Amino acid sequence: MRSRQRMFAAVMRLLLKCLRLGRRRRFKLVRQVEQLWHYGRLCLRSLLYNSFTNSDVVLDSLFEPVYWLVDHVTRWFGVTYTPAWICWHLAYGHWNLLMIVFHYYMAITTSPGHPPQAKDDLTGVSICRKCIAPKPARTHHCSICNRCVLKMDHHCPWLNNCVGHFNHRYFFSFCLFMTMGCIYCSISGWDMFRDAYAAIERMKLLEKERLQVAANQTYYQTPPPTFSFRQRAFHKSVVYLWVLCSSVALALGALTLWHAALITRGETSIERHINKKERQRLQKKGKVFRNPYSFGSWNNWKVFLGVDVPRHWLTRVLLPSPHLPHGTGLSWDLPPCVMEQRAPLLAI
């Protein structure tokens, strides 16, 4: 009995010793963590310590990236621009870019329209001699697509698509807004172009002087400073940008004016040649040719742009709009906007 009590007492003493040892080790670990925390905090404060540091200095340091961004952004606008001009550039530039991207995407993704292959679906139409299929009025065969296209104007390689009944408005709007964007860039970048061109001329002059100094072997003279590669690339890029925008504005502007004249007459590029021959043929007989698809200059623009009511000038012309053109491309009935204007004349 006594031996059991002694053994139990020995086990209890051993257990108490283990608990005390565990407490000591735990307290020691906590003390080490506290020491490391205080040491790291002291190191951080010693690295960032400055006798002049206060809340204002900390606030300025936090806003330093904002100051850097504003400084570099305003440098591109120029120091002479007023807030009104900056707002104008931001509003007009983004609106013009949105119109260009929207109409270009719609022009390349929208099908120009093709006539049905079944002959029973159409009445009173001719047959295409190349694809042996019904050919409605104003429909022509595209040799590149090898298909008939409704109200075909031409095949545009820049769109990789035919320009026809359903995407003619997108094509013309893209040309118009692209021309406006190039003119806007040319006018806005004129001052930068002059400065860059003058800097390039100075580069050439300094380079010529440096070569002359090297050829004369005059080591006592200090060679003129040279421009860095970054400066050369920047000035040449500005000149290239201005020349490219001006050239595209002239070339694309001429194409846009040409298509605007065709739209005013209610014709396409192909119909112009056909109507010209027909006009000359009837002129020899003493007759006058009349385009059956022309409703007058103003009405032709309203039909082409799909303007039925006055608010459509804003929602369908000045803003991106995926609305469909008048008609199906298979028949050419009188558009609603033209019928409303001709109703009083018929009533009289």
Side-chain angles (χ1 to χ4, degrees), residues 219-231:
Y219 296 103
Y220 60 88
Q221 296 180 358
T222 303
T226 57
F227 287 84
S228 63
F229 174 78
R230 183 177 181 180
Q231 292 174 334

Side-chain angles (χ1 to χ4, degrees), residues 1-13:
M1 189 67 182
R2 291 182 178 178
S3 61
R4 290 182 179 179
Q5 292 178 352
R6 291 177 182 175
M7 185 179 296
F8 179 75
V11 171
M12 293 300 295
R13 287 195 296 269

Side-chain angles (χ1 to χ4, degrees), residues 113-151:
H114 306 284
Q117 298 297 320
K119 189 175 181 180
D120 297 336
D121 296 341
L122 298 174
T123 59
V125 297
S126 60
I127 301 298
C128 179
R129 293 178 296 179
K130 296 182 179 179
C131 56
I132 314 300
K135 184 180 178 181
R138 310 188 78 178
T139 300
H140 300 279
H141 187 87
C142 177
S143 59
I144 299 176
C145 299
N146 197 24
R147 294 188 66 180
C148 284
V149 178
L150 299 177
K151 192 191 170 185

Side-chain angles (χ1 to χ4, degrees), residues 103-114 142 144-145 147-149 152-168 170-171:
H103 287 100
Y104 181 74
Y105 174 78
M106 295 299 294
I108 63 178
T109 56
T110 303
S111 174
H114 306 284
C142 177
I144 299 176
C145 299
R147 294 188 66 180
C148 284
V149 178
M152 179 180 176
D153 188 89
H154 68 287
H155 184 91
C156 183
W158 306 108
L159 302 180
N160 193 27
N161 194 9
C162 272
V163 177
H165 178 63
F166 291 103
N167 64 348
H168 193 184
Y170 298 131
F171 167 76

Side-chain angles (χ1 to χ4, degrees), residues 102-103 106 166 169-170 302-308 312 315-317 319-326:
F102 171 78
H103 287 100
M106 295 299 294
F166 291 103
R169 179 179 65 88
Y170 298 131
K302 294 177 65 176
V303 172
F304 177 78
L305 298 174
V307 176
D308 297 330
H312 286 168
T315 58
R316 293 188 174 185
V317 179
L319 293 177
S321 176
H323 66 277
L324 297 176
H326 288 296

Side-chain angles (χ1 to χ4, degrees), residues 267 271-281:
E267 299 175 338
E271 289 175 349
R272 176 188 174 274
H273 300 284
I274 299 175
N275 294 343
K276 183 179 179 180
K277 294 180 180 179
E278 187 66 15
R279 188 179 297 108
Q280 292 175 354
R281 185 182 69 84

